[in-house]
Amino acid sequence: MSERKNLVGLSRDELTAEMVAFGEKPFRAKQLWHWIYNRGVTDFAVMSTIAKTLQARLAEHYEVARPALSRVQTSSDGTRKWLFRFGDTNEAETVYIPEEDRGTVCISSQVGCTLTCTFCHTGTQRLVRNLSAAEIVGQFMAARDSYAEWPTPADETRLLSNIVMMGMGEPLFNYDNVATALRIVMDGEGIALSKRRITLSTAGVVPMIRRCGEELGVNLAISLHAVHDELRDHLMPINKKYPLAELMAALREYPTYNSRRITFEYVMLKDVNDSLADARALMRLVKGIPAKFNLIPFNPWPGSSFECSNAEQIRRFSELLFDAGYAAPVRQPRGQDILAACGQLKSDSERRRAAAVAAQ
Ligand code: SAH
């Protein structure tokens, strides 16, 4: 393993402090920031604004590293999935979803997940640990490497134009590292992605929602999935700790200036949460919150005890919301042939590893 310290993942203040401790002036941090996050350079020798002798000295002590690529798969629909391996051999997945008007990178915040939502395959895998800021921002940088999207283009011309924190893990259980990574991504002199193009999805860690709004100001998505506590307790055990009334109260305080809305994700489970009475209760629940919905057809996995609602029922559910004035698109499952869809992450690699162990 490398002894050199990775400069990726340090906040701007941390990078400045690092350079000062290294005997350099603070402006070195500004130069490095540009090379690392605007130009995507990983080799100090290419950093032409820095003298050769200093380049060599930096290279002795530091590196600009990405997570190691363990596997990459591209779906017939253009979705791409990377399995990254970190220094301690833990792995996490990242997905790129190209659409007509945007390209969204879905990033993981933890290895595994502690939430144990009963419909989610990732939730059946034990949590190993939080990802560091370097590992979180590194996923996005490696995805951009994959499409050679350096230097940072203007927002309108980006292939990788949006980020959703919707991969493995609960981002608000790893708030500090997620916040550092997102601040790096939003920094105008580097990757410079607008906060309007970033969405953080949470199962509803109520005490952290306020901080997320005040400190980061990114879009918020809530994995709601049920309109009554009884069912939500069953689907998402976190609801026992933070029940719907508390969650809704926190969302009513979330800053939604500039006509920004909160997205409610709702996984469509046959005969569980998909009746039109549920749709009406859903609208009552979010009353007073600038809301839009994202209906997610359930993606089955081996051993799952749920079924996806039928297409006609999803359409009627969506239409009811739409007729009441809400945006309620049905999320098209993407990258299913490479197990890149919601709730399926990591399962493939974990399964292959389990099979390899069993064969030994
Ligand atoms: N922990 C965060 C981030 C994960 S986002 C959160 O809960 O929001 C992943 C999204 O996919 C969540 O909305 C999750 O509820 C949904 N999901 C999980 N398993 C799914 C499945 N099998 N089919 C469809 N959606 C699923």
Side-chain angles (χ1 to χ4, degrees):
M1 242 176 80
S2 164
E3 298 289 311
R4 296 177 301 158
K5 181 168 181 173
N6 189 7
L7 292 181
V8 172
L10 299 183
S11 69
R12 230 177 214 270
D13 286 350
E14 287 166 347
L15 185 62
T16 306
E18 186 69 39
M19 284 304 108
V20 170
F22 193 58
E24 287 296 316
K25 292 259 160 30
F27 79 89
R28 287 288 171 218
K30 193 175 163 70
Q31 291 178 321
L32 283 165
W33 194 271
H34 175 81
W35 287 110
I36 296 171
Y37 294 114
N38 178 280
R39 307 289 284 268
V41 162
T42 54
D43 181 356
F44 291 104
V46 177
M47 301 182 179
S48 56
T49 52
I50 296 174
K52 287 248 175 315
T53 47
L54 179 56
Q55 287 176 357
R57 215 160 68 80
L58 284 166
E60 248 173 63
H61 292 85
Y62 300 108
E63 60 178 356
V64 179
R66 308 282 193 260
L69 184 60
S70 187
R71 188 178 193 207
V72 57
Q73 292 167 276
T74 307
S75 160
S76 54
D77 70 12
T79 300
R80 186 170 289 183
K81 182 171 82 167
W82 298 266
L83 177 66
F84 292 113
R85 176 170 300 168
F86 307 111
D88 62 357
T89 76
N90 275 312
E91 293 176 330
E93 288 182 327
T94 308
V95 179
Y96 171 63
I97 307 139
E99 290 171 278
E100 231 160 73
D101 58 339
R102 73 180 80 174
T104 304
V105 182
C106 179
I107 292 180
S108 292
S109 56
Q110 299 181 307
V111 176
C113 190
T114 51
L115 290 171
T116 63
C117 300
T118 46
F119 54 87
C120 179
H121 201 183
T122 309
T124 65
Q125 297 159 14
R126 71 201 160 90
L127 172 85
V128 182
R129 65 169 174 83
N130 282 335
L131 293 178
S132 67
E135 290 162 344
I136 296 167
V137 72
Q139 293 173 60
F140 187 64
M141 297 174 84
R144 275 181 53 165
D145 292 347
S146 191
Y147 290 89
E149 190 155 82
W150 301 105
T152 293
D155 261 357
E156 313 75 57
T157 62
R158 289 178 201 234
L159 223 47
L160 282 64
S161 63
N162 292 60
I163 287 180
V164 292
M165 295 301 303
M166 293 188 188
M168 293 164 55
E170 169 49 55
L172 295 189
F173 281 160
N174 185 18
Y175 179 80
D176 289 341
N177 293 343
V178 167
T180 301
L182 292 182
R183 283 196 187 99
I184 291 173
V185 164
M186 293 189 282
D187 186 295
E189 290 178 22
I191 294 172
L193 199 67
S194 155
K195 64 182 178 193
R196 284 167 313 170
R197 293 182 177 272
I198 300 175
T199 301
L200 184 147
S201 179
T202 177
V205 186
V206 167
M208 302 309 291
I209 287 177
R210 177 193 288 266
R211 282 186 69 191
C212 181
E214 282 173 2
E215 298 176 5
L216 300 175
V218 296
N219 299 310
L220 189 66
I222 301 292
S223 294
L224 194 66
H225 308 326
V227 290
H228 304 295
D229 279 323
E230 196 187 347
L231 176 61
R232 201 165 187 270
D233 281 351
H234 171 64
L235 297 177
M236 308 178 69
I238 191 176
N239 193 67
K240 293 179 196 154
K241 188 148 189 209
Y242 306 116
L244 281 169
E246 282 180 35
L247 176 59
M248 291 301 145
L251 297 182
R252 289 203 161 79
E253 288 175 14
Y254 197 79
T256 48
Y257 40 80
N258 295 338
S259 72
R260 205 163 56 148
R261 288 168 294 170
I262 291 175
T263 302
F264 290 91
E265 296 161 279
Y266 197 89
V267 62
M268 300 299 299
L269 303 169
K270 186 176 184 185
D271 298 334
V272 173
N273 66 355
D274 66 348
S275 72
L276 296 186
D278 285 315
R280 285 185 206 102
L282 184 53
M283 290 190 280
R284 282 197 297 275
L285 189 66
V286 304
K287 219 177 173 98
I289 300 173
K292 57 181 171 182
F293 298 100
N294 203 327
L295 306 181
I296 316 176
F298 171 66
N299 292 305
W301 37 274
S304 61
S305 54
F306 298 97
E307 279 177 70
C308 184
S309 311
N310 64 45
E312 176 58 16
Q313 188 61 19
I314 298 178
R315 195 190 59 74
R316 287 164 62 191
F317 196 103
S318 161
E319 210 168 80
L320 203 100
L321 300 172
F322 182 79
D323 287 346
Y326 290 104
V330 180
R331 191 183 288 177
Q332 292 307 316
R334 297 288 302 265
Q336 279 185 315
D337 52 339
I338 56 169
L339 283 177
C342 305
Q344 297 185 320
L345 295 189
K346 183 68 189 291
S347 21
D348 179 39
S349 53
E350 187 121 316
R351 223 185 354 263
R352 281 187 298 120
R353 198 172 14 254
V357 170
Q360 270 172 13

